[in-house]
Amino acid sequence: SRLEAADNEVAELGADIAALAALKSLDVANNQLRELPAALADCPRLKEANFRGNPLRDKRLEKMVHGCQTKAILEYLRAGGRGKGKAESAREEARKKKREKQQKKDGGDGEQDGLEETSKLLVKVLHVSENPVPLVVKASPGVKDVRPFIVCCVLKGVDLKPGNALKRFLAVQTKLHEDICEKRTAATIATHDLQLIKGPLMFDVQPPDELKITPLGRKEIKAKDLLRQLQLEAEEQRKQKKRQNVSGLHKYLQLLDGKDNYPCLVDAEGAVISFPPITNSEKTKIRKDTRDLFLEVTSDTSLQICKDVMDTLILKIAELNRFTLENKEDSGSDNESDALCGPVNLNPSQDVQPTSLPLVVEQVRVVDTDGNLKVLYPSKTDLTTVSSLLTVIR
């Protein structure tokens, strides 16, 4: 029931520790542990644990072992943390089911059987080999411990000029952040005006007091000052509205707790154009006359979540594009309710013919600093989750 192994050279705790059904107290302080297994959370009687003085890779966990109770540490490991044990795979499976359910809901599962091929939305994929100047994203080694997963692509031919098209476009992103992105805890979306981007791009990490960004609607500021500013705004908001919940960017501040470095996407001029999961930059902000988009999805959970979110984002933009074309709004119309942020589902019985050229999705490669390919999107297996509503010309 009591295991004392402090001040040794213990470098690893195996998942088999869960077999110690009677273990109540564990002391492994001042060892060489870099990770704690999720299996610790499966020790049924473990009530006291001392993990201090270990060079843990997970900086948030390192702070927790110095200031939190054992129960909170075990909950963190159970929820995934950096343990990568059974709990992590179970969590990943649950997320996958939730995403599939959401995609079915968005696609109107019962109705899509009646969709004719001609009424499907068209998307053409432009391969890297066919693109004379493909955009490339380099990922630095530092992102591995902060936010390791990123998927990017270029989307051309979007029409945001008429009426409330831009407002609907932004509302769809907000809804995806709430639903499939699980309030940005699973993944974060960033959309940019391609014409304002100077490539190649670097997915990197920077210390909070060095990372500078011009957030949407704000002046240039250091990341740590931005977070402090947002925290003060959140407190003020709580006092004024006398409630616990806060809105906007303020909801996501805790997602960076305990991180010594913050993730960022940097353009060829050294400007930070994205600071996930908090904000994009004013430099690449999308406007009504934007036609070509650079889309970015990042996650600290898994690459597959990035791909699923990107698939759904492309589908939603294609739906919005067709809705805009078919409803022929005036460019001056601006009286539509902000509440219209759900999926735009056309009546499948109308057998609508495509009214424009297909959207073009250009592949974007993410490579390491040596140029080795990490991920290419969209690959042959991508965009299949939305294939019932999308015709992909490859």
Side-chain angles (χ1 to χ4, degrees):
S1 68
R2 189 172 182 83
L3 179 57
E4 296 183 2
D7 301 296
N8 284 284
E9 297 290 321
V10 180
E12 185 180 357
L13 283 180
D16 290 347
I17 197 162
L20 300 177
L23 186 65
K24 292 181 183 176
S25 173
L26 173 65
D27 186 357
V28 286
N30 304 318
N31 279 291
Q32 299 300 315
L33 296 171
R34 295 181 67 75
E35 292 193 1
L36 297 179
L40 277 167
D42 298 328
C43 294
R45 299 189 182 181
L46 186 58
K47 294 288 184 287
E48 295 175 27
N50 183 2
F51 304 113
R52 294 187 185 94
N54 284 288
L56 296 170
R57 279 202 191 102
D58 188 335
K59 298 306 176 188
R60 183 177 181 187
L61 182 59
E62 189 174 48
K63 287 189 177 181
M64 289 181 75
V65 302
H66 284 91
C68 295
Q69 294 182 346
T70 300
K71 184 180 177 184
I73 295 167
L74 296 180
E75 281 299 320
Y76 179 71
L77 293 172
R78 181 179 285 113
R82 291 279 301 275
K84 306 295 185 233
K86 284 188 294 185
E88 176 70 9
S89 56
R91 181 171 175 239
E92 178 67 23
E93 191 60 32
R95 279 190 152 146
K96 187 178 177 184
K97 285 179 181 174
K98 184 174 178 179
R99 291 197 305 277
E100 286 171 356
K101 187 178 176 185
Q102 186 65 40
Q103 283 162 349
K104 282 182 180 178
K105 182 180 168 188
D106 287 349
D109 196 34
E111 296 176 346
Q112 64 197 34
D113 294 339
L115 275 173
E116 299 288 338
E117 278 297 311
T118 50
S119 72
K120 278 188 177 183
L121 300 148
L122 290 179
V123 170
K124 184 181 187 323
V125 174
L126 182 70
H127 295 264
V128 168
S129 58
E130 303 165 342
N131 193 342
V133 281
L135 197 56
V136 177
V137 177
K138 288 185 178 180
S140 76
V143 299
K144 187 180 176 187
D145 294 328
V146 178
R147 197 171 185 85
F149 306 108
I150 182 169
V151 163
C152 304
C153 69
V154 166
L155 189 63
K156 291 191 169 181
V158 178
D159 187 7
L160 298 173
K161 270 188 179 175
N164 288 299
L166 178 58
K167 192 182 286 186
R168 282 196 295 271
F169 172 80
L170 298 172
V172 158
Q173 284 183 72
T174 301
K175 190 171 190 304
L176 289 176
H177 271 144
E178 288 295 309
D179 295 339
I180 193 171
C181 295
E182 299 177 30
K183 295 182 168 39
R184 301 200 196 195
T185 58
T188 308
I189 298 165
T191 54
H192 309 268
D193 186 328
L194 181 69
Q195 305 306 319
L196 303 175
I197 284 181
K198 308 292 183 202
L201 302 173
M202 171 70 84
F203 187 44
D204 203 1
V205 294
Q206 294 181 17
D209 57 349
E210 291 180 20
L211 196 164
K212 287 183 180 177
I213 185 169
T214 306
L216 292 169
R218 297 174 186 249
K219 294 179 180 176
E220 187 181 67
I221 190 171
K222 287 181 179 177
K224 71 169 186 178
D225 296 331
L226 174 63
L227 260 63
R228 190 182 300 124
Q229 201 177 87
L230 292 171
Q231 279 159 352
L232 290 171
E233 287 175 13
E235 282 305 311
E236 193 59 37
Q237 206 179 85
R238 278 201 192 95
K239 285 176 189 171
Q240 285 179 1
K241 300 192 177 178
K242 294 182 180 176
R243 64 181 190 186
Q244 282 301 106
N245 296 333
V246 291
S247 60
L249 296 179
H250 311 101
K251 290 187 289 188
Y252 312 116
L253 300 180
Q254 78 286 355
L255 298 178
L256 289 172
D257 283 355
K259 295 198 186 297
D260 293 333
N261 287 305
Y262 290 164
C264 55
L265 193 63
V266 185
D267 71 7
E269 296 175 337
V272 173
I273 63 169
S274 176
F275 170 29
I278 302 297
T279 184
N280 296 6
S281 168
E282 186 73 21
K283 181 179 180 181
T284 57
K285 180 179 176 180
I286 288 172
R287 294 171 173 81
K288 272 184 172 286
D289 58 357
T290 299
R291 291 284 298 173
D292 302 333
L293 309 175
F294 175 72
L295 308 179
E296 155 213 343
V297 179
T298 61
S299 170
D300 62 0
T301 306
S302 85
L303 183 63
Q304 192 56 49
I305 284 176
C306 290
K307 291 188 165 200
D308 289 348
V309 170
M310 187 69 89
D311 285 0
T312 309
L313 176 62
I314 290 171
L315 170 65
K316 293 296 155 210
I317 294 173
E319 285 179 339
L320 286 175
N321 222 36
R322 182 163 74 176
F323 181 86
T324 300
L325 286 162
E326 293 183 345
N327 284 269
K328 296 184 173 63
E329 295 171 297
D330 294 331
S331 296
S333 161
D334 205 12
N335 55 7
E336 186 175 319
S337 165
D338 286 356
L340 179 55
C341 59
V344 181
N345 287 329
L346 299 167
N347 184 345
S349 63
Q350 289 176 338
D351 193 27
V352 182
Q353 297 290 336
T355 52
S356 71
L357 294 170
L359 288 172
V360 175
V361 185
E362 292 185 2
Q363 289 180 322
V364 170
R365 291 183 303 139
V366 178
V367 300
D368 64 20
T369 45
D370 294 326
N372 301 310
L373 182 67
K374 288 170 71 73
V375 60
L376 172 73
Y377 183 94
S379 67
K380 287 181 182 176
T381 55
D382 296 323
L383 292 168
T384 52
T385 56
V386 292
S387 59
S388 57
L389 295 165
L390 213 56
T391 298
V392 182
I393 307 165
R394 297 185 188 270

